[in-house]
Amino acid sequence: MIERSRMFRFLIWLLLIFTVIWVGSKIEFLFRPLVILVTTLAFPIIAAGVFYYLLRPIIVLLEKAKIPRSLGILIVYLALAGGITGLVFSIGPILTEQFNSLAKGAPALVEDLQDALVRWESNPYIANLLQSEMVSVDGMTERISGSIGDISSSFGNYLLSFLNIVTDVVIGIVLLPFILYYMLKDGKKLMPSMLRFVPRAHREEGAKILEDMDDALSGFIQGQLIVSLFIGTFVYIWYVIIGLDYALILAFIALFLNVVPFIGPIIGTAPGVLVGFIQSPLTALYVVLGVIVIQQIESNLISPQVMGRRLDIHPLTIILLLLVASSLAGFLGLILAIPTYAVLKVIATHTYRLIKLQQRGKHSGN
């Protein structure tokens, strides 16, 4: 009887949730201003949150050295500005030169790629594959031409979307230092403020949940930065060793895409393989072998030491999360899927433990 009543309550709650979702889909125009507000502020808030977890340990160290928090934040800001300026002056010219070279050589690269495909098409071992409808040179040319036509016909929409993205990024860059300042200055006051809304009897457990959430986020963000820097640095060194063109640009692509778990390293390696294939098939093979070795070192030595096992997420779970997140929120969903899951996992684990403790207390009381 008790089990039936629980199932009935569960079905009622499920029905209410679906009803709310259905009603919300019918009056979505009412939520459009809220959606615009959230999407506009999402970038600066998320970026400020990332920098908060990266810079907070430095602020804490400065505070332990008897430096006031506001002055410590100013010192960190100046050091960060100096570091960015030095980085721009050190690698900026190389990056600019490679970008200009890539822009000027793009038509030649396309021709080289077509020539390479033609050479490979004559190879008896892969002739059947390249002559198939899906990957033949003619089929590729037709699909590329069709894609270019679609892009041209929708150029106005693409331009408007691009301008909206640029506007959001500019607004985010302007707001980022101010949001980050108040996060670093008053971040330690957030937990006590949130615990005021929790009943006194559960504040200790609430504090534990918030601390575990904070540990999960900080561990993921700080660890991901170190891992991405490792990948970018050693990929660049390897690309220079094998003489790959545009090595710095390709290494930056690998560095930034590495923030996407599981599939990011694969996507980040693809441009390097493509450029290597244009140079020679052997260079492309060197790219693949080198990146595999670097990824193995990272996954077996670096990540366990830097990030530990605190997230404890199965690879299949990661794949399913990325599939759902990419469908719901695109690239932003890919980046936020794992930390969001880690936070929800902490909440669910503590909630389940509390329910079990309450049930045991009831049974012992009876």
Side-chain angles (χ1 to χ4, degrees), residues 131-299:
Q131 288 174 358
S132 65
E133 184 179 351
M134 289 299 297
V135 295
S136 66
V137 176
D138 294 337
M140 287 183 181
T141 304
E142 291 178 3
R143 286 195 292 274
I144 292 173
S145 301
S147 300
I148 294 175
D150 294 338
I151 293 174
S152 300
S153 61
S154 305
F155 179 76
N157 295 331
Y158 285 113
L159 180 61
L160 183 60
S161 300
F162 176 75
L163 291 176
N164 289 334
I165 293 173
V166 171
T167 302
D168 292 342
V169 170
V170 171
I171 293 174
I173 292 174
V174 172
L175 293 178
L176 176 59
F178 300 98
I179 298 175
L180 178 60
Y181 173 81
Y182 287 107
M183 278 187 173
L184 291 171
K185 184 175 180 294
D186 301 324
K188 61 182 181 180
K189 300 177 183 178
L190 180 61
M191 185 180 297
S193 299
M194 295 178 67
L195 290 176
R196 291 176 185 173
F197 299 97
V198 179
R200 288 184 178 274
H202 300 289
R203 283 185 182 177
E204 183 177 351
E205 186 64 32
K208 177 63 176 173
I209 294 175
L210 292 177
E211 288 174 2
D212 288 349
M213 290 168 56
D214 184 73
D215 288 341
L217 285 175
S218 63
F220 176 80
I221 292 173
Q222 294 169 7
Q224 195 66 50
L225 175 70
I226 296 173
V227 168
S228 296
L229 287 175
F230 170 84
I231 293 293
T233 302
F234 281 89
V235 164
Y236 174 68
I237 293 172
W238 178 246
Y239 285 173
V240 171
I241 290 174
I242 64 176
L244 189 67
D245 295 335
Y246 318 111
L248 189 58
I249 295 176
L250 297 172
F252 266 111
I253 292 174
L255 185 151
F256 286 117
L257 288 179
N258 194 74
V259 301
V260 180
F262 206 80
I263 63 173
I266 300 174
I267 302 174
T269 306
V273 175
L274 182 62
V275 173
F277 176 74
I278 292 173
Q279 290 184 231
S280 72
L282 187 60
T283 304
L285 180 62
Y286 285 154
V287 170
V288 173
L289 293 177
V291 171
I292 289 175
V293 172
I294 294 171
Q295 289 291 339
Q296 287 299 312
I297 295 173
E298 177 267 320
S299 60

Side-chain angles (χ1 to χ4, degrees), residues 106-136:
L109 285 175
V110 174
E111 292 180 3
D112 291 341
L113 179 60
Q114 290 177 343
D115 293 340
L117 288 173
V118 170
R119 289 197 303 270
W120 274 55
E121 194 174 27
S122 62
N123 190 308
Y125 293 102
I126 57 175
N128 293 332
L129 177 64
L130 287 176
Q131 288 174 358
S132 65
E133 184 179 351
M134 289 299 297
V135 295
S136 66

Side-chain angles (χ1 to χ4, degrees), residues 28-60:
E28 60 178 350
F29 62 91
L30 294 177
F31 302 102
R32 193 163 297 147
L34 180 61
V35 172
I36 294 174
L37 177 65
V38 171
T39 53
T40 303
L41 297 178
F43 172 72
I45 291 176
I46 292 172
V50 171
F51 278 102
Y52 168 76
Y53 280 109
L54 295 177
L55 300 178
R56 185 178 62 176
I58 304 174
I59 299 297
V60 172

